[in-house]
Amino acid sequence: IYVPLPMDPITNDSNHSIGERQTLDIPLLATNSDDMTSPSFFLCRIPGNRRLVLLQPSLFLRKTALVVVASYALLPLLVYKSSLPGALYAALLVLIHVGVLFVYLYRVRFGALDVDRISLGGRVLGLAVTVWLLTVVSGWQDHEHIGILAAQMLVLCVVHTVVLALLMVAVEIDSSSDDEDDENEAEDHTDLV
C-alpha cells in the first residue's frame, strides 16, 4: 500500500511526474529499501533563505503510527490501574515510555537537522514546549469515561507527532532561491545592456 505525496523535485525511481509537480510514493509498511536514502519531503520556505524539509518521510509515518499504537496501549493500563499490582503497573508504564523514547530517537540524524545556531535554538525551544505540553496533557486523565480518555489520548498523539516532527524536520539552505536570485540579477543586467 502506497500513499502518494507531492514532493520537492528530486529524481528517484519511485517518483512519478504529474505536470510540473512530482509525487513520492511512500510505503505504509516497511520495505527492504533503506530509509536513510529516501528523498526528503519539502514542507515550506522560511525567512532567511531557508526551507523546511521532512527527512525520511516513510520512516516518519511509521514512527507516528507506532507512537499512536503505544499511546492507545496505555488506555487499558489506565482503566485497570487500580486492579493491577503497583510494580506491574509501573513496569508496564516504564516499558511503554522507553519504547516511545526509542521510537523518537531511532535513525534521527541530528547533524543534518540544523544549519546554524538559530535553527538549533528554535528546535530546542520547540522540544521544551512540547515536553511541557506532554506533561500538561498527561495530567488530564479521566478514568471514569473511556470515551473522554480516548479523546485525550488523541490530543496526546498530536503532541507526540509534533515532537517527532521536531526530530525529523530539517532546516536547509534554500539553493533554489539562490538560483532564482541569480536569474533575476542576470535579467536585470541584460535589461541594462
Side-chain angles (χ1 to χ4, degrees):
I1 299 173
Y2 287 89
V3 176
L5 295 172
M7 63 171 277
D8 213 13
I10 298 173
T11 58
N12 188 339
D13 292 338
S14 65
N15 296 345
H16 303 286
S17 178
I18 301 176
E20 292 294 318
R21 300 187 85 186
Q22 290 186 340
T23 61
L24 171 64
D25 292 336
I26 297 179
L28 290 180
L29 301 175
T31 63
N32 292 336
S33 66
D34 187 13
D35 281 322
M36 299 301 280
T37 61
S38 68
S40 59
F41 179 73
F42 172 77
L43 297 172
C44 67
R45 285 183 171 68
I46 56 176
N49 197 27
R50 309 241 188 270
R51 66 186 191 149
L52 297 178
V53 295
L54 176 62
L55 303 176
Q56 309 167 37
S58 60
L59 181 62
F60 176 78
L61 289 176
R62 288 195 300 268
K63 282 183 168 189
T64 302
L66 284 172
V67 167
V68 168
V69 167
S71 295
Y72 278 97
L74 285 172
L75 275 180
L77 189 63
L78 293 172
V79 169
Y80 297 112
K81 176 182 177 179
S82 60
S83 64
L84 290 173
L88 178 62
Y89 173 77
L92 290 173
L93 201 60
V94 167
L95 182 68
I96 289 172
H97 283 87
V98 168
V100 168
L101 183 62
F102 175 77
V103 169
Y104 275 165
L105 300 177
Y106 180 71
R107 286 192 177 176
V108 173
R109 298 183 294 179
F110 290 102
L113 293 178
D114 297 298
V115 294
D116 57 16
R117 290 182 182 166
I118 293 172
S119 64
L120 176 63
R123 185 178 311 279
V124 170
L125 180 62
L127 285 169
V129 168
T130 53
V131 167
W132 173 77
L133 277 174
L134 283 173
T135 59
V136 168
V137 171
S138 66
W140 287 355
Q141 301 169 6
D142 182 350
H143 298 287
E144 295 178 17
H145 304 96
I146 192 74
I148 293 173
L149 186 59
Q152 292 167 342
M153 282 296 169
L154 181 62
V155 174
L156 186 71
C157 291
V158 169
V159 177
H160 276 295
T161 303
V162 171
V163 172
L164 283 172
L166 286 168
L167 292 172
M168 296 191 70
V169 172
V171 177
E172 295 180 346
I173 294 178
D174 190 6
S175 60
S176 65
S177 66
D178 286 342
D179 295 340
E180 290 171 9
D181 291 342
D182 293 342
E183 289 173 10
N184 290 339
E185 288 176 16
E187 288 175 11
D188 291 342
H189 181 59
T190 56
D191 290 342
L192 295 174
V193 176

